[in-house]
Amino acid sequence: MAFKRQVGRLPIIPADAQEFNVTCHYCIVGCGYKAYTWPMNRQGGTAPEQNKFGVDLSEQQVMDTEAWYAPSMYNVVRQNGRDVQLVVKPDVNCSVNSGLGSIRGARMAENRPSRVTGTQAQRLSDPLVWRNGVWQPTSWEDALDLVARVTARVVTEGSEDDLVVSMFDHGGSAGGYENTWGTGKLYFESMKIKNCRIHNRPAYNSEVHSSRDMGVDELNYAYKDYTLTDTIFMLGANSMETQTNLYLNHMVPGLQGGAKMVVVDPRRTLTIASSEQYAGPENVLHLAIKEGTDLALCNAILTEIVDKGWIDAEFIAASTFPEGVAVAEDEAHPASLGSLEHAMTACRLSLDEAAEICGVPAADIAKAAEWIAKPKDDGSRRKCVTCYEKGIIWGNDNYRTIGAIVNIALATGNIGREGGGVCRLGGHQEGYYRPGDAHVGRPAEYVDQFLIRGLGGVHHIWACDHYKTTLNASEFKRVHKRRSDMVKDAIDAAAGGTREQVVDAIVSAINAGGLFVVDVDIIHSQIGQNAHVILPACEANEMNLTSMNGERRLRLSEKYMDPWGNSKPDALIAAGVAQSMERVLREMGMYAYADQFKGYDWATEEDAFMDGYNKGNPEVTYERLRAMGNNGVQEPVVGFENGQLVGTERLYTDGRFTRHGREDGKALFCAAGWRGWQAPGKAREQAAHRFWINNVRANIFWQNQFLDQKNDFVQDRYPHPFVEMHPDDMVELGLNPGDLLEIINDNGVTQGMAYPMPTLKRNTVAMVFGSPAGSQGNVVNPGVNELVLPDYKHCWGDIRKISNATAQTAGISFKSHEVVL
Amino acid sequence: MKCNRLVDVGRRQFLRGGLVATAGAAAATVVGTGQAQAQTALALVDYPANRLANIADLAVNEPMDIGYPDADSPGILIKLGQAVEGGVGPDGDIVAYSVLCPHKGWLLSYNAGDKTLNCPGHHSRFDCESGGQQIWGHATQNLPQFKLRVEDNGDIYADGVDELIFGRLSNVLA
């Protein structure tokens, strides 16, 4: 029976409630919300003058009304030490979402920690130190002292290369300009840490190297381009699920205004199904390619466009590299870059060749090329906006495939113009501001393998849970646990000793192959089970936080509640680590090194913002951003006039491309030749197993469910990770809906719940990514590209039933997700 | 847009007769000399008990338009043809739901093929056989279900709601 909150009435927001700007801290779209808070002993009334909306709430409100909020948008939280009532609801005046809430963001209030309502009691409130076999709560001073003493010993007895760091690089959530600066200053300025990785991939690298090398920043358009365009070209993305209000509020109006849509995806996604409803099936072309063949498809589309003369010759002449090779293929460049003519020597692929490789009709590929580039009957050029995400970024041959996509946009002049753009759709918001990372190198160290090989002695982890979100996860977990257990055992054996004796014991264990683990997070995560020190962080709105969205829209999401317990912003935790390092190093007599850890005297997150982002962008301050509200300003900010920050609607409108740093301002084409499976082991695995295990997202979950794992509404819907299968495959394997199954291959095993999905191809399954109850990464092999980008998407395995449906799984709905109107 | 709905809820008339809310009137505030008296209000929403239909009026898998707790809150009453958890009647298959999508308040349409309620606005859908569970969608709650009971003469009454209905901050308007 479906979960119900049994709420028949909610307190009304009084007319004088405090109001705060909130940017949803989940996906990259960054929908605008408003938070309202008011004292526990007050409430608004139904009369217009008694409530925030100024309307008569004793009447039924109409559809799309602003004057309603769901129980998930209400909570009781702490503000300046007092309990207050809170509503967080979508903002109708934000141009990003125009009042639409998503199933993720519209639960922000409910997903706040509350002592009164008991929500999110899993949040960490105090630093924890491994002591006598348990994680014991302690003071910041005690916890940071242990972190600094062990870290200082290891990096001075060995080198900074012995400190391994996993750290988020994103905006929103616990990221943002404040926190990426805090961590960045610690690890890239005070230290020069080389062995680091990002939250979702096993190295410290870009996900879109080739786009940047070609001169094209990956976020170059405005969301309004989707409404101004003639064609939306989407690859490896499913925006209805994952960038919901970008789809509903920008793409759908485009489709309803007559735009066509081309979607490249092996799977019939909900985006395709909904687009058919909104635009009519005749205006939606689904290229259901064989997995991993996007590159061949794009090359054939480009070839068709070139051969038909649909290129934008004027744009190419003015804005792209004129002749030959500009950058040769080498260890750091998995393809050469240069002129269109040069690129075509590698990219040329006929429609028939591509049809054979991709498993789709040649006529459909030709039709895609037509919809993307064929000039209109009156001779005017066709506008096309191109977007891609994890199906490409985490797909086969990342560098060349993204290069091939950008090639099409460049050849058709669809960058820097209305209705154009070639952009990643994104996961989290962006919020990267750090000192230079050139010392990391390119290719960067494959950090997971570095740890698996027994290297590194200290592991600092910032809001990353590799247990759920890395590849080759089975082996990674096995080794990480073994190495960290060595240190736990050493600490247990040194029980009763002084701090000095305990640190000696830890360092001895490290020297014997152990790993000392410090985990900074908002919850006790799965990888946190291996930690020796756990430091509690807070999130957006428990602190002020700045981030930008997928059209570079920068907002200040305001603090409206206190951090939970004694948790702190990551930026201030990083400052605490730095200050402790300085003190300990000074005690050790290493004065020069200690001096490198000066400069962290920040009292608030705003101090960190001013120390970092503001230094590079002196126009931008909290006060000015607050005044810009939920519509903020699109980066780069170029001035401050008439009391407003002046931004940039879209990049490259002058036809000069700069992301690669070339002074000539010319974009480069990518010689993205097709070469089959790029990553090691993929072809062999494909041949050895029946099912392709596609890892997919669902709109209901945010990322690895770190908060949603304790949200009843969410867990009621999917008590186990779903594994969608074709019903005929289920019958063959003796699986009923809700039965538990495991997926097996040479890399490991994972588990989930069978969910019939008749629109899937046979012998493929779609398993939700990053679930705490079944990590898809367990069965993904360690294969990466030349620049250490993981190919999470390509994994094959066999499936075995482990149990009949449980009491929990038997009661849920197993109907198809596609709307039937 | 392909349309195979059985009931076009967007154009239908809601039942009005016999559906006047029976909630008690709010207690008046009594102000004493110089000191306000606390109001005596009930802790829970006081739902009306409304007769929706008689079992004899229902045909299997053909939803009947209803309004509950009042005429401004449209819903459907349906005999699914197969017993479900929470279903009433001799066959345990009669249920009733709000048809205002809890995402943005669009009117849901019933699809008899798979017994779901579907939103034409943003494509959320809800399962009438699973307590109104959102199969897929944007709402942050499952569909409000009306609590039903059946009298000996076959009359079906609604006397409760298990979630907040879209467009009202109190399920019983005051």
Short mmCIF file of all heavy atoms in Angstrom, two decimals, chain A residues 3-8 10 58 60-61 64 68 72 99 101 241 270 274 277-278 699 717 813 815-816 820-821, chain B residues 1-2 4 103-104 114 118 121 123 125 127 129 131 133-134 136-137 140 142-143 162-163 166-169 171 174:
data_model
loop_
_atom_site.label_atom_id
_atom_site.label_comp_id
_atom_site.label_asym_id
_atom_site.label_seq_id
_atom_site.Cartn_x
_atom_site.Cartn_y
_atom_site.Cartn_z
N PHE A 3 2.72 4.66 0.40
CA PHE A 3 3.02 5.51 1.56
C PHE A 3 2.19 6.79 1.52
O PHE A 3 2.14 7.48 0.51
CB PHE A 3 4.50 5.86 1.55
CG PHE A 3 4.89 6.95 2.53
CD1 PHE A 3 4.94 6.69 3.88
CD2 PHE A 3 5.20 8.23 2.08
CE1 PHE A 3 5.29 7.68 4.78
CE2 PHE A 3 5.55 9.23 2.97
CZ PHE A 3 5.60 8.95 4.33
N LYS A 4 1.52 7.08 2.62
CA LYS A 4 0.75 8.33 2.72
C LYS A 4 1.20 9.05 3.98
O LYS A 4 1.44 8.43 5.01
CB LYS A 4 -0.75 8.03 2.78
CG LYS A 4 -1.32 7.32 1.55
CD LYS A 4 -1.24 8.17 0.30
CE LYS A 4 -1.63 7.43 -0.96
NZ LYS A 4 -3.05 7.16 -1.11
N ARG A 5 1.24 10.36 3.89
CA ARG A 5 1.69 11.13 5.05
C ARG A 5 0.57 11.39 6.06
O ARG A 5 0.84 11.86 7.15
CB ARG A 5 2.32 12.45 4.60
CG ARG A 5 3.64 12.25 3.87
CD ARG A 5 4.30 13.58 3.56
NE ARG A 5 5.52 13.42 2.78
CZ ARG A 5 5.56 13.23 1.48
NH1 ARG A 5 4.45 13.15 0.78
NH2 ARG A 5 6.72 13.10 0.84
N GLN A 6 -0.68 11.11 5.66
CA GLN A 6 -1.83 11.33 6.55
C GLN A 6 -1.87 12.77 7.05
O GLN A 6 -2.14 13.03 8.22
CB GLN A 6 -1.81 10.34 7.73
CG GLN A 6 -1.78 8.88 7.33
CD GLN A 6 -3.05 8.40 6.63
OE1 GLN A 6 -4.07 9.08 6.63
NE2 GLN A 6 -2.98 7.23 6.00
N VAL A 7 -1.54 13.70 6.15
CA VAL A 7 -1.62 15.12 6.49
C VAL A 7 -2.84 15.70 5.80
O VAL A 7 -2.97 15.63 4.58
CB VAL A 7 -0.35 15.86 6.01
CG1 VAL A 7 -0.52 17.37 6.13
CG2 VAL A 7 0.86 15.41 6.81
N GLY A 8 -3.75 16.25 6.59
CA GLY A 8 -4.96 16.82 6.01
C GLY A 8 -4.97 18.34 6.06
O GLY A 8 -5.91 18.98 5.58
N LEU A 10 -2.09 21.92 6.57
CA LEU A 10 -0.75 22.45 6.85
C LEU A 10 -0.87 23.86 7.41
O LEU A 10 -1.80 24.60 7.06
CB LEU A 10 0.09 22.52 5.56
CG LEU A 10 0.69 21.23 5.03
CD1 LEU A 10 1.39 21.50 3.70
CD2 LEU A 10 1.68 20.62 6.03
N SER A 58 -9.61 30.04 1.86
CA SER A 58 -10.74 29.21 2.23
C SER A 58 -11.42 28.64 0.99
O SER A 58 -12.39 27.91 1.08
CB SER A 58 -11.75 30.01 3.05
OG SER A 58 -12.38 30.97 2.23
N GLN A 60 -10.92 26.61 -2.87
CA GLN A 60 -10.06 25.74 -3.67
C GLN A 60 -9.25 26.60 -4.65
O GLN A 60 -9.80 27.45 -5.35
CB GLN A 60 -10.92 24.73 -4.45
CG GLN A 60 -10.19 23.94 -5.51
CD GLN A 60 -9.29 22.86 -4.92
OE1 GLN A 60 -9.56 22.31 -3.85
NE2 GLN A 60 -8.20 22.55 -5.61
N GLN A 61 -7.93 26.40 -4.68
CA GLN A 61 -7.08 27.15 -5.61
C GLN A 61 -7.02 26.43 -6.96
O GLN A 61 -7.18 25.22 -7.04
CB GLN A 61 -5.67 27.30 -5.03
CG GLN A 61 -5.64 27.94 -3.64
CD GLN A 61 -6.21 29.35 -3.64
OE1 GLN A 61 -5.78 30.20 -4.40
NE2 GLN A 61 -7.22 29.59 -2.79
N ASP A 64 -1.89 25.03 -11.20
CA ASP A 64 -0.69 25.84 -11.34
C ASP A 64 -0.60 26.98 -10.32
O ASP A 64 0.25 27.86 -10.44
CB ASP A 64 -0.55 26.43 -12.75
CG ASP A 64 -0.28 25.38 -13.80
OD1 ASP A 64 0.33 24.36 -13.46
OD2 ASP A 64 -0.68 25.58 -14.98
N TRP A 68 -0.19 27.14 -2.97
CA TRP A 68 -0.34 25.80 -2.39
C TRP A 68 1.04 25.21 -2.20
O TRP A 68 1.98 25.52 -2.95
CB TRP A 68 -1.15 24.88 -3.32
CG TRP A 68 -1.44 23.54 -2.68
CD1 TRP A 68 -2.35 23.29 -1.70
CD2 TRP A 68 -0.81 22.28 -2.97
NE1 TRP A 68 -2.33 21.95 -1.35
CE2 TRP A 68 -1.38 21.31 -2.11
CE3 TRP A 68 0.21 21.87 -3.84
CZ2 TRP A 68 -1.00 19.96 -2.11
CZ3 TRP A 68 0.59 20.53 -3.84
CH2 TRP A 68 -0.02 19.59 -2.99
N SER A 72 5.52 17.74 1.72
CA SER A 72 6.97 17.58 1.59
C SER A 72 7.70 18.92 1.59
O SER A 72 8.92 18.97 1.69
CB SER A 72 7.29 16.85 0.28
OG SER A 72 6.89 17.65 -0.82
N GLY A 99 8.10 28.31 -11.50
CA GLY A 99 7.17 27.78 -10.51
C GLY A 99 7.03 26.27 -10.52
O GLY A 99 6.32 25.72 -9.68
N GLY A 101 8.12 22.59 -9.66
CA GLY A 101 8.99 21.89 -8.73
C GLY A 101 9.27 20.50 -9.28
O GLY A 101 8.48 19.97 -10.05
N GLU A 241 13.82 12.90 -17.04
CA GLU A 241 14.11 12.32 -15.72
C GLU A 241 15.12 13.16 -14.94
O GLU A 241 14.98 13.32 -13.73
CB GLU A 241 14.73 10.92 -15.86
CG GLU A 241 13.86 9.89 -16.52
CD GLU A 241 13.24 8.88 -15.55
OE1 GLU A 241 13.23 9.13 -14.34
OE2 GLU A 241 12.76 7.84 -16.05
N LEU A 270 12.03 8.03 -21.27
CA LEU A 270 10.81 8.81 -21.04
C LEU A 270 10.86 10.14 -21.78
O LEU A 270 9.83 10.70 -22.11
CB LEU A 270 10.62 9.06 -19.55
CG LEU A 270 9.93 7.96 -18.77
CD1 LEU A 270 9.54 8.46 -17.40
CD2 LEU A 270 8.70 7.44 -19.49
N SER A 274 7.70 11.26 -23.87
CA SER A 274 7.01 12.53 -23.61
C SER A 274 7.12 13.48 -24.79
O SER A 274 6.17 14.19 -25.12
CB SER A 274 7.57 13.19 -22.34
OG SER A 274 7.05 12.54 -21.21
N GLN A 277 4.54 12.88 -27.21
CA GLN A 277 3.25 13.44 -26.80
C GLN A 277 3.17 14.94 -27.07
O GLN A 277 2.16 15.45 -27.54
CB GLN A 277 3.03 13.20 -25.30
CG GLN A 277 2.84 11.75 -24.91
CD GLN A 277 1.43 11.24 -25.19
OE1 GLN A 277 0.53 12.01 -25.48
NE2 GLN A 277 1.25 9.93 -25.12
N TYR A 278 4.26 15.63 -26.76
CA TYR A 278 4.23 17.10 -26.86
C TYR A 278 4.37 17.58 -28.31
O TYR A 278 3.80 18.59 -28.68
CB TYR A 278 5.36 17.71 -26.02
CG TYR A 278 5.14 17.63 -24.52
CD1 TYR A 278 6.03 16.95 -23.70
CD2 TYR A 278 4.03 18.25 -23.92
CE1 TYR A 278 5.83 16.88 -22.32
CE2 TYR A 278 3.83 18.17 -22.55
CZ TYR A 278 4.73 17.50 -21.76
OH TYR A 278 4.54 17.44 -20.40
N ASN A 699 14.11 9.92 -11.95
CA ASN A 699 13.86 11.27 -11.44
C ASN A 699 13.66 11.31 -9.94
O ASN A 699 13.93 12.30 -9.29
CB ASN A 699 12.66 11.90 -12.16
CG ASN A 699 11.34 11.25 -11.80
OD1 ASN A 699 11.30 10.09 -11.41
ND2 ASN A 699 10.25 11.98 -11.93
N ARG A 717 8.60 3.67 -2.83
CA ARG A 717 8.43 3.42 -4.26
C ARG A 717 9.41 2.35 -4.74
O ARG A 717 9.04 1.46 -5.50
CB ARG A 717 8.64 4.73 -5.05
CG ARG A 717 8.55 4.57 -6.58
CD ARG A 717 7.13 4.28 -7.01
NE ARG A 717 7.00 3.92 -8.42
CZ ARG A 717 6.87 2.67 -8.88
NH1 ARG A 717 6.90 1.65 -8.05
NH2 ARG A 717 6.72 2.44 -10.17
N SER A 813 3.88 -0.68 -7.32
CA SER A 813 3.38 -0.70 -8.69
C SER A 813 4.50 -1.09 -9.65
O SER A 813 5.62 -0.61 -9.54
CB SER A 813 2.85 0.68 -9.07
OG SER A 813 2.43 0.67 -10.42
N LYS A 815 3.86 -0.96 -13.06
CA LYS A 815 3.34 -0.56 -14.37
C LYS A 815 4.38 0.27 -15.14
O LYS A 815 5.31 0.82 -14.55
CB LYS A 815 2.03 0.20 -14.18
CG LYS A 815 0.94 -0.76 -13.69
CD LYS A 815 -0.40 -0.14 -13.45
CE LYS A 815 -1.35 -1.24 -12.91
NZ LYS A 815 -2.61 -0.71 -12.44
N SER A 816 4.16 0.35 -16.43
CA SER A 816 5.09 1.07 -17.30
C SER A 816 5.12 2.55 -16.93
O SER A 816 4.13 3.12 -16.48
CB SER A 816 4.63 0.90 -18.75
OG SER A 816 5.28 1.85 -19.56
N VAL A 820 -0.04 7.47 -20.44
CA VAL A 820 -1.03 7.05 -21.44
C VAL A 820 -2.17 8.06 -21.40
O VAL A 820 -2.89 8.15 -20.42
CB VAL A 820 -1.58 5.63 -21.13
CG1 VAL A 820 -2.45 5.15 -22.29
CG2 VAL A 820 -0.44 4.66 -20.89
N LEU A 821 -2.28 8.83 -22.46
CA LEU A 821 -3.29 9.89 -22.48
C LEU A 821 -4.38 9.58 -23.51
O LEU A 821 -4.16 8.81 -24.42
CB LEU A 821 -2.64 11.23 -22.81
CG LEU A 821 -1.68 11.75 -21.72
CD1 LEU A 821 -0.90 12.95 -22.23
CD2 LEU A 821 -2.45 12.14 -20.46
N MET B 1 -2.35 14.64 -30.41
CA MET B 1 -2.05 13.73 -29.30
C MET B 1 -3.04 12.58 -29.28
O MET B 1 -4.23 12.77 -29.35
CB MET B 1 -2.13 14.52 -27.99
CG MET B 1 -1.55 13.79 -26.80
SD MET B 1 -1.73 14.76 -25.28
CE MET B 1 -0.61 16.09 -25.60
N LYS B 2 -2.53 11.40 -29.19
CA LYS B 2 -3.39 10.22 -29.15
C LYS B 2 -4.23 10.28 -27.87
O LYS B 2 -3.75 10.64 -26.82
CB LYS B 2 -2.51 8.97 -29.16
CG LYS B 2 -3.26 7.69 -29.23
CD LYS B 2 -2.28 6.58 -29.58
CE LYS B 2 -2.52 5.34 -28.74
NZ LYS B 2 -1.74 5.24 -27.55
N ASN B 4 -6.95 8.01 -25.67
CA ASN B 4 -7.81 6.84 -25.50
C ASN B 4 -8.48 6.84 -24.14
O ASN B 4 -8.85 5.83 -23.61
CB ASN B 4 -7.01 5.55 -25.71
CG ASN B 4 -5.89 5.44 -24.70
OD1 ASN B 4 -5.75 6.29 -23.83
ND2 ASN B 4 -5.08 4.40 -24.83
N HIS B 103 1.12 17.38 -8.28
CA HIS B 103 2.25 18.17 -8.74
C HIS B 103 1.81 19.61 -8.96
O HIS B 103 2.18 20.50 -8.21
CB HIS B 103 2.83 17.56 -10.02
CG HIS B 103 3.94 18.35 -10.65
ND1 HIS B 103 3.98 18.61 -12.01
CD2 HIS B 103 5.04 18.92 -10.14
CE1 HIS B 103 5.06 19.32 -12.28
NE2 HIS B 103 5.72 19.52 -11.17
N LYS B 104 0.95 19.84 -9.96
CA LYS B 104 0.53 21.20 -10.27
C LYS B 104 -0.99 21.35 -10.41
O LYS B 104 -1.48 22.34 -10.94
CB LYS B 104 1.21 21.69 -11.56
CG LYS B 104 2.73 21.81 -11.47
CD LYS B 104 3.21 22.76 -10.37
CE LYS B 104 2.96 24.21 -10.71
NZ LYS B 104 3.45 25.10 -9.63
N ASP B 114 -4.77 0.16 -18.26
CA ASP B 114 -3.93 -0.34 -17.16
C ASP B 114 -4.34 0.26 -15.80
O ASP B 114 -3.56 0.23 -14.85
CB ASP B 114 -2.44 -0.13 -17.44
CG ASP B 114 -2.04 1.33 -17.51
OD1 ASP B 114 -2.92 2.22 -17.36
OD2 ASP B 114 -0.85 1.61 -17.72
N ASN B 118 -3.58 9.56 -15.27
CA ASN B 118 -2.46 10.16 -15.98
C ASN B 118 -2.62 11.67 -16.10
O ASN B 118 -3.73 12.16 -16.32
CB ASN B 118 -2.38 9.58 -17.40
CG ASN B 118 -2.03 8.11 -17.38
OD1 ASN B 118 -0.89 7.73 -17.58
ND2 ASN B 118 -3.03 7.25 -17.13
N GLY B 121 -0.52 17.33 -18.22
CA GLY B 121 0.37 18.49 -18.14
C GLY B 121 1.83 18.12 -18.17
O GLY B 121 2.60 18.56 -19.04
N HIS B 123 2.88 14.66 -17.33
CA HIS B 123 3.04 13.23 -17.56
C HIS B 123 3.30 12.38 -16.32
O HIS B 123 3.88 11.29 -16.42
CB HIS B 123 4.11 12.97 -18.63
CG HIS B 123 3.74 13.57 -19.96
ND1 HIS B 123 4.58 13.51 -21.07
CD2 HIS B 123 2.64 14.25 -20.38
CE1 HIS B 123 3.99 14.12 -22.10
NE2 HIS B 123 2.82 14.58 -21.69
N ARG B 125 1.98 9.83 -13.49
CA ARG B 125 0.90 8.85 -13.49
C ARG B 125 0.85 8.06 -12.19
O ARG B 125 1.84 7.88 -11.50
CB ARG B 125 0.95 7.94 -14.72
CG ARG B 125 2.19 7.21 -14.99
CD ARG B 125 2.20 6.73 -16.44
NE ARG B 125 2.22 5.27 -16.52
CZ ARG B 125 1.19 4.55 -16.91
NH1 ARG B 125 0.07 5.10 -17.28
NH2 ARG B 125 1.29 3.24 -16.95
N ASP B 127 -1.13 4.78 -9.88
CA ASP B 127 -1.70 3.44 -10.01
C ASP B 127 -2.93 3.28 -9.11
O ASP B 127 -2.81 3.28 -7.89
CB ASP B 127 -0.63 2.40 -9.64
CG ASP B 127 -1.04 0.99 -10.02
OD1 ASP B 127 -2.23 0.78 -10.30
OD2 ASP B 127 -0.16 0.11 -10.03
N GLU B 129 -4.52 0.70 -8.61
CA GLU B 129 -4.50 -0.60 -7.95
C GLU B 129 -3.47 -0.69 -6.83
O GLU B 129 -3.34 -1.73 -6.19
CB GLU B 129 -4.23 -1.71 -8.99
CG GLU B 129 -5.34 -1.81 -10.04
CD GLU B 129 -5.08 -2.91 -11.04
OE1 GLU B 129 -4.07 -2.83 -11.77
OE2 GLU B 129 -5.88 -3.86 -11.10
N GLY B 131 -3.01 1.85 -4.28
CA GLY B 131 -3.22 2.94 -3.33
C GLY B 131 -2.88 4.31 -3.88
O GLY B 131 -2.58 5.23 -3.12
N GLN B 133 -0.30 4.97 -5.76
CA GLN B 133 1.16 5.18 -5.81
C GLN B 133 1.54 5.85 -7.13
O GLN B 133 1.03 5.48 -8.19
CB GLN B 133 1.90 3.85 -5.69
CG GLN B 133 3.42 4.05 -5.59
CD GLN B 133 4.14 2.78 -5.18
OE1 GLN B 133 3.99 1.75 -5.82
NE2 GLN B 133 4.92 2.86 -4.11
N GLN B 134 2.42 6.84 -7.02
CA GLN B 134 2.90 7.49 -8.23
C GLN B 134 3.82 6.49 -8.94
O GLN B 134 4.86 6.10 -8.42
CB GLN B 134 3.65 8.77 -7.90
CG GLN B 134 4.12 9.54 -9.13
CD GLN B 134 4.60 10.94 -8.81
OE1 GLN B 134 4.10 11.92 -9.33
NE2 GLN B 134 5.59 11.04 -7.96
N TRP B 136 5.26 7.04 -11.90
CA TRP B 136 6.35 7.91 -12.33
C TRP B 136 5.80 9.32 -12.34
O TRP B 136 4.63 9.52 -12.70
CB TRP B 136 6.84 7.54 -13.75
CG TRP B 136 8.09 8.30 -14.08
CD1 TRP B 136 9.37 7.90 -13.84
CD2 TRP B 136 8.17 9.62 -14.64
NE1 TRP B 136 10.24 8.89 -14.20
CE2 TRP B 136 9.54 9.96 -14.70
CE3 TRP B 136 7.23 10.55 -15.08
CZ2 TRP B 136 9.99 11.18 -15.19
CZ3 TRP B 136 7.68 11.77 -15.57
CH2 TRP B 136 9.05 12.08 -15.63
N GLY B 137 6.61 10.30 -11.98
CA GLY B 137 6.10 11.66 -12.05
C GLY B 137 6.87 12.64 -11.19
O GLY B 137 7.96 12.35 -10.71
N THR B 140 5.38 15.01 -5.16
CA THR B 140 6.17 14.54 -4.02
C THR B 140 5.30 13.79 -3.02
O THR B 140 5.65 13.64 -1.87
CB THR B 140 6.85 15.72 -3.33
OG1 THR B 140 5.85 16.71 -3.03
CG2 THR B 140 7.89 16.35 -4.23
N ASN B 142 2.02 10.52 -3.02
CA ASN B 142 1.13 9.66 -3.79
C ASN B 142 -0.25 10.29 -3.81
O ASN B 142 -0.53 11.25 -3.11
CB ASN B 142 1.14 8.26 -3.18
CG ASN B 142 2.52 7.62 -3.32
OD1 ASN B 142 3.11 7.63 -4.40
ND2 ASN B 142 3.06 7.12 -2.22
N LEU B 143 -1.09 9.73 -4.65
CA LEU B 143 -2.39 10.37 -4.88
C LEU B 143 -3.29 10.27 -3.64
O LEU B 143 -3.41 9.20 -3.04
CB LEU B 143 -3.06 9.66 -6.06
CG LEU B 143 -4.14 10.44 -6.80
CD1 LEU B 143 -3.62 11.77 -7.31
CD2 LEU B 143 -4.64 9.59 -7.97
N ASP B 162 -6.31 10.63 2.87
CA ASP B 162 -5.02 10.27 3.49
C ASP B 162 -3.83 11.12 3.07
O ASP B 162 -2.71 10.87 3.49
CB ASP B 162 -4.72 8.79 3.24
CG ASP B 162 -4.63 8.45 1.75
OD1 ASP B 162 -4.65 9.38 0.93
OD2 ASP B 162 -4.55 7.25 1.42
N GLU B 163 -4.05 12.13 2.21
CA GLU B 163 -2.97 13.04 1.80
C GLU B 163 -3.60 14.41 1.57
O GLU B 163 -4.81 14.52 1.37
CB GLU B 163 -2.30 12.57 0.50
CG GLU B 163 -1.11 11.64 0.67
CD GLU B 163 0.15 12.33 1.16
OE1 GLU B 163 0.12 13.54 1.47
OE2 GLU B 163 1.18 11.63 1.26
N PHE B 166 -4.47 18.76 -3.68
CA PHE B 166 -3.88 19.94 -4.34
C PHE B 166 -4.83 21.13 -4.24
O PHE B 166 -6.05 21.01 -4.41
CB PHE B 166 -3.59 19.67 -5.82
CG PHE B 166 -2.94 20.86 -6.48
CD1 PHE B 166 -1.56 20.99 -6.49
CD2 PHE B 166 -3.71 21.88 -7.03
CE1 PHE B 166 -0.96 22.11 -7.05
CE2 PHE B 166 -3.12 23.01 -7.59
CZ PHE B 166 -1.74 23.13 -7.59
N GLY B 167 -4.23 22.30 -4.01
CA GLY B 167 -4.99 23.53 -4.09
C GLY B 167 -5.71 23.93 -2.82
O GLY B 167 -6.47 24.89 -2.83
N ARG B 168 -5.49 23.18 -1.75
CA ARG B 168 -6.09 23.55 -0.46
C ARG B 168 -5.12 23.17 0.66
O ARG B 168 -4.56 22.08 0.66
CB ARG B 168 -7.46 22.90 -0.27
CG ARG B 168 -7.53 21.44 -0.66
CD ARG B 168 -8.94 20.87 -0.47
NE ARG B 168 -9.88 21.35 -1.48
CZ ARG B 168 -11.21 21.22 -1.39
NH1 ARG B 168 -11.74 20.62 -0.34
NH2 ARG B 168 -12.00 21.67 -2.33
N LEU B 169 -4.94 24.08 1.60
CA LEU B 169 -4.03 23.81 2.72
C LEU B 169 -4.77 23.17 3.88
O LEU B 169 -4.17 22.81 4.88
CB LEU B 169 -3.32 25.10 3.14
CG LEU B 169 -2.33 25.60 2.06
CD1 LEU B 169 -1.78 26.98 2.42
CD2 LEU B 169 -1.20 24.61 1.83
N ASN B 171 -7.80 20.06 3.89
CA ASN B 171 -8.64 19.23 3.02
C ASN B 171 -10.11 19.61 3.13
O ASN B 171 -10.84 19.54 2.14
CB ASN B 171 -8.44 17.76 3.34
CG ASN B 171 -7.22 17.19 2.62
OD1 ASN B 171 -6.69 17.82 1.70
ND2 ASN B 171 -6.76 16.03 3.04
N ALA B 174 -12.29 25.90 5.13
CA ALA B 174 -12.97 26.63 6.20
C ALA B 174 -12.94 28.11 5.88
O ALA B 174 -12.02 28.59 5.26
CB ALA B 174 -12.28 26.38 7.53
#
